[in-house]
Amino acid sequence: QVQLVESGGGLVQPGGSLRLSCVASGSISNIAAMGWYRQAPGKQRELVARFISGGDTNYAEAVKGRFTISRDNAKNTVYLQMNSLKPEDTAVYYCNLDLLDPLRIIRTYWGPGTQVTVSS
């Protein structure tokens, strides 16, 4: 079993910063990707930032230059530093983990989500 637990969400004023953390536990090997998605009310879940195998990163255009993803492999933890937050960043942020199983099938896991609200 794999579990993901997010923390660090909350209410912040426009222009402020937050740091999200996601700790993965359980049987974790062959990570294909790990990162963050978000879902705003009435919208589809979208990629925010993630690491893919090989160490490369993907960022959504809307967050480039403001958000930074980082990780601590020893702790199976991924972070999302969010700066210069805007009201349109308001969403539930989900941690995502894709594992490649022995049959080379991607197994996808999600955390329960953490609310980020950017408002004055």
Side-chain angles (χ1 to χ4, degrees):
Q1 290 288 351
V2 173
Q3 286 191 321
L4 303 175
V5 178
E6 303 105 334
S7 61
L11 173 64
V12 63
Q13 292 187 341
S17 298
L18 282 175
R19 188 192 193 208
L20 306 183
S21 299
C22 172
V23 180
S25 62
S27 180
I28 300 169
S29 62
N30 294 321
I31 296 175
M34 187 172 183
W36 296 92
Y37 287 69
R38 68 185 180 186
Q39 187 166 18
K43 295 187 176 182
Q44 290 188 330
R45 192 172 298 188
E46 62 178 4
L47 172 70
V48 178
R50 66 176 183 172
F51 286 103
I52 57 177
S53 64
D56 289 339
T57 54
N58 298 143
Y59 285 92
E61 286 295 325
V63 307
K64 283 183 179 179
R66 300 187 298 122
F67 291 10
T68 302
I69 191 170
S70 61
R71 61 186 175 182
D72 184 334
N73 291 332
K75 297 181 179 179
N76 285 329
T77 300
V78 65
Y79 305 96
L80 185 68
Q81 178 66 43
M82 305 186 292
N83 298 329
S84 302
L85 282 160
K86 304 175 181 179
E88 50 264 43
D89 295 317
T90 295
V92 178
Y93 283 69
Y94 296 93
C95 184
N96 163 265
L97 175 63
D98 288 341
L99 301 179
L100 189 63
D101 76 8
L103 298 177
R104 303 196 66 77
I105 296 172
I106 296 291
R107 304 292 182 182
T108 297
Y109 301 89
W110 295 97
T114 185
Q115 177 70 46
V116 171
T117 302
V118 185
S119 175
S120 55

